[in-house]
Amino acid sequence: MLIDAVSSYWQESALNRCTVIGLGLYVGYWLWTRLEPFDAAENEPPYLPYVIPWVGHTLAVARNSSKVFERATNLFGYNPFTLKIAGQKHYVFTNPSDVQAVFKHSKELTFDSNVALVLSLIYGMKDSPQITVQELMSGGKVLPDGSILGDPHAFFRAQLYGEALEVLTTRSVAEIEHALDQEFTRLPKDNSAADVPLLMWARNMLSSAVTSAVYGKNFLVAFPRLIDALWELDDGTYKLMYGIPEMFAKKTYAAREECVGALKAYLGPDGEKIREGGLPIILERDPVYSAAGVDLDGRARASLTVLQALHTNSAPTSFWLILYILYTPGLLEKIRAEVAPAYATGVPNVEYLSKQCPLYNSVWAEVLRLVSSTISVRLVDVDTPGVGGYTLRKGAKVFCPARLSQMSPAFWGPDVAQFKPTRFMERPQDATSAKMRPFGGGPTLCPGRHFASIEVKAFVAGALLRFDFEVPQEMPTPDLATPCLGIMRPLGVCKARVRRRADWPPIRN
């Protein structure tokens, strides 16, 4: 009877036939998206439904990963789930306790394997006949000269700690101060303001200062467009990560090769003058890679990872830190009063900024909570049971997006979306908790986090003491759609008016 009724309804009119077709397509779509994918294994995190095999969630993540994660959270809460990206399984963990479980399984869920993939995709590194990229990242290989290749993570931790960190910090802060003084001198003396794009303003000063401090002053003299090329690369890094062909990302690929070319000249046999004044964090690792059989092109690409890491998040963080201070009534005056004693001798006291400025440090942490979009990535090297109650299968990737927990009312309370300057004064332990991960976590917690903190705090404090700012009436909003490596960029360009403060420099005894 049902078939006869449908047949009769179908024959009555074209509208009826369209209705039947539409209903059939809807029911088919509904059933298709709820079928378990063919590669789903027993006791895996459930898949977020998708339509097209192999493609899965690839296009949706590329367009707006935040919306994908929001959809998954609405469906699964803060329980683990699985995405299909370019044919590969990606397990996603958002609950802080589950993320901690991921970090604890560091032998099964590895970071180095993922780094090797990143070096290939983003920086174009290739295996050499003597050593693979994976072996470079893991360390431990016996080199032709009989020495043992050291663990790169241990090397960078050593260079970003203790005396080495002090040298890096001292030189960088001195260059930052010099850049700020030059900008103060450049601005009109008649109290008139200069119009600047604020993110670019911070980027140009901070990136140039730190590059000169770390690589030596001659590097930017020899390659004055390096900072521009680096930021062109940074803006399109996600395209390289997703494997987008060069024909669709020509500017990004060209910027990468421009940076590689500059670093080849810097590290090459004729670069002695250019690298004069460079720090060990750059210069000491290169001979090791050379002894391991990595050619100049490969060493330049490996070095580009450090160059980009030094810059990719510092300027955007400074931008947002300045803006949140400016847009919060009464906060600018409090911050200026709190940080001013750090400049009592004319040389910034970075220890004072880090340890004697509780409001400033709370604001720093709160800004990171609101604008960081870090995703910790691991590769599953062996089938691993007992992670978040599930078994993770060899060959899959693991994503731990920090922003979902950093913006969750379940973990922070009903005021989670608000900028609360004193949040981390009231609960300082939250700054290092599992729900707050702007620098990743686990054994590969970003070794540069201490330097990044000092660098940004010194720049912003120095800028707020020297300059007055006029900003648009509406606070800029972060770009949630475009993937980034850590700190989100703003939507559009934020123009500001900057003028010299009359009471700078302060009168000192």
Side-chain angles (χ1 to χ4, degrees):
M1 293 181 61
L2 178 60
I3 295 177
D4 291 339
V6 172
S7 177
S8 175
Y9 183 80
W10 173 275
Q11 295 174 10
E12 285 181 4
S13 68
L15 178 60
N16 287 0
R17 288 192 288 276
C18 290
T19 302
V20 171
I21 292 171
L23 182 61
L25 290 173
Y26 173 79
V27 171
Y29 171 82
W30 188 90
L31 290 172
W32 175 257
T33 57
R34 280 152 183 80
L35 289 174
E36 194 74 12
F38 73 93
D39 63 345
E42 184 180 357
N43 198 37
E44 277 187 312
Y47 266 103
L48 182 68
Y50 63 88
V51 178
I52 306 174
W54 193 88
V55 174
H57 307 95
T58 307
L59 299 178
V61 169
R63 283 195 300 266
N64 192 331
S65 60
S66 295
K67 285 190 175 181
V68 175
F69 292 140
E70 181 182 349
R71 177 186 163 214
T73 302
N74 291 336
L75 186 60
F76 300 113
Y78 293 96
N79 296 311
F81 60 92
T82 303
L83 299 177
K84 176 76 74 176
I85 301 177
Q88 186 174 24
K89 292 179 182 178
H90 290 66
Y91 304 124
V92 182
F93 293 86
T94 59
N95 191 300
S97 61
D98 292 337
V99 172
Q100 288 295 86
V102 169
F103 292 155
K104 287 178 181 177
H105 285 80
S106 58
K107 292 182 179 179
E108 301 88 358
L109 313 177
T110 62
F111 177 77
D112 292 338
S113 299
N114 181 67
V115 172
L117 179 62
V118 167
L119 286 172
S120 174
L121 284 172
I122 296 181
Y123 301 104
M125 277 195 74
K126 296 179 175 62
D127 294 342
S128 71
Q130 290 82 17
I131 192 167
T132 67
V133 177
Q134 177 64 58
E135 289 171 331
L136 275 178
M137 291 300 99
S138 301
K141 183 181 174 91
V142 178
L143 302 182
D145 63 1
S147 63
I148 297 176
L149 179 65
D151 178 0
H153 308 304
F155 171 79
F156 286 114
R157 280 195 295 269
Q159 292 296 327
L160 293 163
Y161 183 77
E163 185 178 342
L165 175 61
E166 186 175 346
V167 172
L168 172 61
T169 298
T170 300
R171 286 180 58 164
S172 296
V173 170
E175 290 291 343
I176 289 168
E177 282 290 290
H178 178 65
L180 288 168
D181 284 339
Q182 282 189 316
E183 179 66 4
F184 186 86
T185 302
R186 186 188 70 83
L187 291 176
K189 298 179 180 179
D190 60 0
N191 202 37
S192 58
D195 293 319
V196 299
L198 192 58
L199 176 57
M200 187 76 70
W201 183 82
R203 186 210 80 172
N204 288 344
M205 278 191 283
L206 198 49
S207 296
S208 298
V210 174
T211 300
S212 295
V214 177
Y215 288 83
K217 295 179 183 294
N218 294 335
F219 194 24
L220 289 181
V221 173
F223 297 95
R225 225 194 73 82
L226 178 65
I227 299 301
D228 289 333
L230 183 64
W231 281 86
E232 289 166 9
L233 166 63
D234 200 72
D235 287 342
T237 293
Y238 72 94
K239 299 176 183 178
L240 302 176
M241 188 67 198
Y242 287 131
I244 295 175
E246 183 174 358
M247 63 183 297
F248 299 114
K250 289 183 179 179
K251 186 175 182 180
T252 302
Y253 278 85
R256 182 185 73 184
E257 296 310 306
E258 184 175 351
C259 292
V260 169
L263 286 164
K264 286 171 71 173
Y266 182 88
L267 298 171
D270 298 325
E272 185 175 353
K273 182 68 175 176
I274 302 175
R275 58 179 177 265
E276 190 175 275
L279 289 178
I281 190 173
I282 304 301
L283 300 180
E284 286 189 0
R285 193 68 180 167
D286 187 64
V288 176
Y289 281 0
S290 179
V294 183
D295 64 16
L296 179 59
D297 183 79
R299 301 197 317 268
R301 293 178 191 279
S303 187
L304 180 54
T305 66
V306 181
L307 179 63
Q308 189 174 21
L310 284 169
H311 299 301
T312 189
N313 290 320
S314 56
T317 306
S318 300
F319 166 84
W320 290 115
L321 185 54
I322 290 172
L323 285 184
Y324 273 105
I325 291 172
L326 294 178
Y327 277 96
T328 304
L331 185 57
L332 174 60
E333 292 75 17
K334 292 178 181 178
I335 295 295
R336 279 175 171 164
E338 188 178 65
V339 303
Y343 293 78
T345 64
V347 178
N349 185 333
V350 295
E351 185 174 2
Y352 188 96
L353 288 176
S354 297
K355 297 181 179 180
Q356 303 297 322
C357 299
L359 178 60
Y360 190 36
N361 287 294
S362 178
V363 169
W364 148 264
E366 179 72 340
V367 169
L368 287 180
R369 185 184 69 83
L370 290 170
V371 301
S372 65
S373 188
T374 305
I375 298 180
S376 299
V377 183
R378 302 290 189 268
L379 287 183
V380 184
D381 279 354
V382 296
D383 286 357
T384 308
V387 184
Y390 292 97
T391 297
L392 311 187
R393 304 298 174 179
K394 179 180 178 180
K397 282 188 177 181
V398 177
F399 276 5
C400 300
R403 183 168 173 79
L404 290 181
S405 60
Q406 289 171 191
M407 297 301 294
S408 168
F411 306 129
W412 295 91
D415 63 353
V416 65
Q418 299 174 15
F419 171 69
K420 186 178 179 182
T422 59
R423 188 184 301 274
F424 292 92
M425 292 175 66
E426 297 166 8
R427 290 183 55 85
Q429 67 272 24
D430 284 350
T432 54
S433 67
K435 64 185 180 182
M436 177 75 175
R437 302 190 312 279
F439 296 104
T444 54
L445 180 67
C446 176
R449 63 193 183 280
H450 301 301
F451 173 67
S453 170
I454 293 168
E455 169 193 13
V456 171
K457 289 174 188 174
F459 174 77
V460 172
L464 294 177
L465 291 173
R466 284 173 173 83
F467 308 114
D468 283 319
F469 298 85
E470 297 174 24
V471 289
Q473 187 173 358
E474 294 294 326
M475 172 84 169
T477 56
D479 180 0
L480 298 175
T482 304
C484 69
L485 294 179
I487 303 299
M488 293 179 288
R489 289 2 179 209
L491 281 172
V493 177
C494 176
K495 293 288 186 70
R497 293 177 59 77
V498 183
R499 60 169 51 87
R500 297 160 58 144
R501 291 188 71 208
D503 53 358
W504 181 270
I507 299 175
R508 301 184 178 97
N509 295 329

